[in-house]
């Protein structure tokens, strides 16, 4: 059984790696494509970038509980394959888009079907013993990290040949992933462990209400929400910040994101398997949140491009907190509700992707515009640090109360 579970972790790791590589390919070139379609400058493109993220995240917010509940009913495998099909269609829309409106259509389709994270984490929970959950969730993070090494670097180089080329590459990679998953990926949820589908629980409101059954999960979900709110400061404005502050090219943005991916992969795939058993989940959360906050403050104050690479070290070390927090939350919920739980958590992530990018990109646009009174393009990172500190304080209060 243990051998089969290790093989299944490998399958889901490869599936996520290919998925995230496809996503990472488009990141360095998206600002340039938006600029071309709106015939504007980088500050205006940042604002449109925030609204594109909003469109994707809003649809994912609505649909993630539905997808999670469907995976509890029909299994993880078919839902994951459906998600990959949606992403492939999205990339085709992005590659062929004649106007900015078509970018929104593609992002909406991807948001409806975008269940790879939800289903993958439910898959991991299905096959993990309690003592292995944190390090197995770390493998999900490692797949994200490696995907962001390979993807942005490829995207940065392909972007030199045209703003549409990376999107074609992402579509091809996603359909390869779909074929791989269809023939290789096994099902993790046997029929006897599945439950009936209920519409009243297959929506964000119903899913959040259901969390009341588990008070500790509901409380820690607030901290989870704030962590992702803070993390969106990096995801939303990294490319725009690098262009504005350091005049980075698409290739340089790709290399910087590749460095992020390398560090995340090392932390989540290697370090966490060693450090989590030593610190335990609770201390991993405290140390991780502190390192995240430190990294974000340093990003906001950077004056040279090389500093961003150095400051990535404490920021990425903060990644020891995520799998630990998710392990604690997952441990409070029975196996036949893991899809629903992960769908709810993905809805929370999506809610941050609705709210935070609009705030962060417009905050960047305000503090980087020619009309601003105070020039401080690092303002989104500083706000992210404050949110991360708040998340740490809430987690400390809940975990200390639970321990008592």
């Amino acid at each position: 059984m243990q051998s089969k579970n290790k093989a299944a972790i490998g399958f889901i790791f490869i599936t996520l790696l290919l998925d995230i590589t496809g996503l990472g390919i488009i990141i360095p070139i998206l600002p340039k494509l938006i600029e071309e379609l709106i015939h504007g400058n980088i500050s205006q493109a940042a604002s449109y970038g925030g609204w594109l993220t909003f469109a994707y995240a809003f649809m994912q917010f609505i649909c993630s509980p539905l997808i999670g509940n469907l995976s509890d009913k029909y299994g993880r495998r078919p839902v994951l394959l459906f998600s990959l099909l949606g992403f492939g269609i999205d990339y085709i829309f992005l590659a062929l888009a004649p106007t900015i409106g078509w970018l929104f259509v593609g992002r909406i389709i991807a948001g409806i079907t975008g269940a790879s994270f939800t289903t993958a984490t439910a898959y991991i929970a299905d096959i993990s013993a309690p003592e292995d959950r944190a390090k197995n969730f770390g493998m999900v993070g490692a797949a994200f990290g490696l995907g962001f090494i390979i993807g942005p670097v490829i995207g940065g180089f392909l972007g030199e040949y045209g703003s549409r080329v990376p999107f074609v590459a992402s579509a091809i990679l996603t359909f390869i992933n779909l074929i791989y998953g269809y023939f290789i990926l096994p099902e993790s949820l046997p029929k006897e462990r599945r439950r009936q589908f209920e519409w009243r629980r297959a929506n964000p409101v119903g899913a959040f209400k259901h969390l009341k059954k588990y008070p500790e999960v509901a409380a820690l979900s607030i901290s989870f929400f704030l962590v992702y709110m803070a993390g969106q400061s990096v995801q939303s404005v990294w490319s725009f910040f690098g262009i504005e502050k350091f005049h980075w090219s698409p290739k340089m943005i790709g290399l910087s994101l590749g460095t992020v991916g390398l560090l995340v992969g090392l932390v989540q795939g290697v370090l966490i398997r060693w450090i989590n058993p030593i610190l335990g989940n609770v201390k991993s959360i405290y140390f991780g949140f502190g390192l995240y906050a430190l990294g974000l403050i340093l990003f906001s104050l950077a004056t040279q491009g090389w500093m961003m690479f150095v400051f990535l070290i404490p920021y990425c070390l903060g990644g020891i907190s995520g799998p630990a927090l998710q392990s604690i939350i997952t441990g409070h919920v029975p196996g036949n509700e893991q899809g629903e739980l992960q769908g709810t958590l993905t809805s929370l992530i999506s809610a941050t992707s609705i709210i935070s990018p609009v705030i962060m990109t417009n905050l960047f646009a305000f503090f980087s515009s020619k009309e601003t009174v105070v020039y401080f393009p690092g303002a989104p990172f500083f706000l992210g640090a404050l949110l991360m500190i708040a998340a740490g304080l809430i987690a400390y209060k809940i975990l200390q109360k639970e321990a008592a």
Side-chain angles (χ1 to χ4, degrees):
M1 179 64 70
Q2 188 176 10
S3 177
K4 287 183 179 179
N5 286 349
K6 286 183 178 179
I9 292 289
F11 288 138
I12 204 71
F13 175 82
I14 295 296
T15 298
L16 275 176
L17 176 61
L18 293 174
D19 192 12
I20 300 305
T21 299
L23 180 63
I25 285 173
I26 72 171
I27 292 176
I29 204 64
L30 189 59
K32 182 179 178 182
L33 179 60
I34 296 172
E35 274 190 286
E36 290 177 5
L37 292 176
I38 66 172
H39 307 289
N41 57 37
I42 194 64
S43 181
Q44 294 167 324
S47 184
Y48 273 94
W51 287 111
L52 280 168
T53 305
F54 173 90
Y56 170 80
F58 180 76
M59 296 310 301
Q60 194 173 61
F61 172 74
I62 297 297
C63 295
S64 286
L66 171 64
I67 296 297
N69 275 269
L70 287 172
S71 78
D72 283 341
K73 166 68 175 175
Y74 297 105
R76 316 302 184 201
R77 184 175 177 274
V79 173
L80 186 57
L81 296 179
F82 177 68
S83 167
L84 295 175
L85 177 63
F87 273 116
I89 294 171
D90 168 44
Y91 293 138
I92 291 172
F93 270 96
L94 295 177
L96 302 176
T99 65
I100 192 71
W102 283 98
L103 293 188
F104 282 94
V105 172
R107 292 280 77 190
I108 288 169
I109 292 172
I112 293 171
T113 60
S116 57
F117 182 77
T118 299
T119 315
T121 49
Y123 194 109
I124 296 292
D126 289 340
I127 63 175
S128 298
E131 65 272 15
D132 294 329
R133 280 198 182 115
K135 61 183 181 183
N136 286 344
F137 281 132
M139 292 304 294
V140 176
F144 274 71
L146 290 174
F148 275 106
I149 296 172
I150 302 166
V153 172
I154 293 173
F157 282 98
L158 289 179
E160 300 292 316
Y161 298 97
S163 60
R164 310 286 177 145
V165 176
F167 300 98
V168 175
S170 293
I172 293 171
L173 193 60
T174 301
F175 287 122
I176 290 172
N177 194 7
L178 175 61
I179 295 168
Y180 168 83
Y182 181 82
F183 287 105
I184 302 297
L185 188 67
E187 178 56 64
S188 67
L189 187 66
K191 290 182 178 180
E192 63 271 16
R193 290 177 55 195
R194 298 177 190 180
R195 63 178 179 85
Q196 290 300 311
F197 180 84
E198 299 177 57
W199 278 106
R200 64 184 177 85
R201 291 164 63 174
N203 61 83
V205 175
F208 295 146
K209 283 183 178 179
H210 188 66
L211 283 183
K212 291 181 180 179
K213 283 179 57 179
Y214 311 103
E216 295 87 357
V217 172
L220 287 173
S221 294
I222 299 172
S223 180
F224 185 87
F225 174 82
L226 291 175
V227 168
Y228 278 89
M229 280 286 289
Q232 283 291 341
S233 63
V234 176
Q235 296 175 35
S236 301
V237 304
W238 181 271
S239 297
F240 300 108
F241 182 81
I243 294 169
E244 170 67 24
K245 191 84 176 190
F246 312 120
H247 308 292
W248 281 354
S249 66
K251 185 184 293 185
M252 191 62 187
I253 294 169
L255 289 171
S256 70
L257 291 172
T259 304
V260 174
L262 174 63
L263 292 174
V264 169
L266 288 173
V267 170
Q268 304 257 334
V270 180
L271 179 63
I272 200 168
R273 305 179 78 82
W274 170 74
I275 201 70
N276 185 267
I278 296 173
L279 293 178
N281 285 334
V282 174
K283 288 184 179 178
S284 294
I285 291 170
Y286 298 155
F287 280 111
F289 285 0
L291 288 165
Y292 267 144
L294 174 62
L296 287 165
I297 291 171
L298 292 173
F299 287 156
S300 73
L301 301 175
T303 57
Q304 301 290 329
W306 62 265
M307 293 181 179
M308 300 296 284
F309 288 84
V310 175
F311 299 158
L312 279 170
I313 296 173
Y315 179 78
C316 291
L317 284 172
I320 64 173
S321 61
L325 179 60
Q326 194 157 8
S327 177
I328 290 175
I329 292 174
T330 301
H332 285 80
V333 176
N336 66 352
E337 295 182 11
Q338 285 297 328
E340 180 179 28
L341 171 65
Q342 302 305 331
T344 304
L345 294 179
T346 302
S347 266
L348 286 175
I349 296 172
S350 300
T352 68
S353 298
I354 293 169
I355 301 165
S356 192
V358 175
I359 294 172
M360 298 303 180
T361 53
N362 282 284
L363 193 64
F364 170 82
F366 177 80
F367 281 101
S368 63
S369 69
K370 295 179 180 179
E371 294 79 20
T372 187
V373 177
V374 179
Y375 181 76
F376 185 40
F381 300 136
F382 192 81
L383 176 59
L386 296 179
L387 292 171
M388 195 66 73
I389 291 168
L393 292 174
I394 292 171
Y396 177 81
K397 182 178 179 180
I398 300 304
L399 293 172
Q400 288 299 307
K401 182 179 179 181
E402 189 178 52

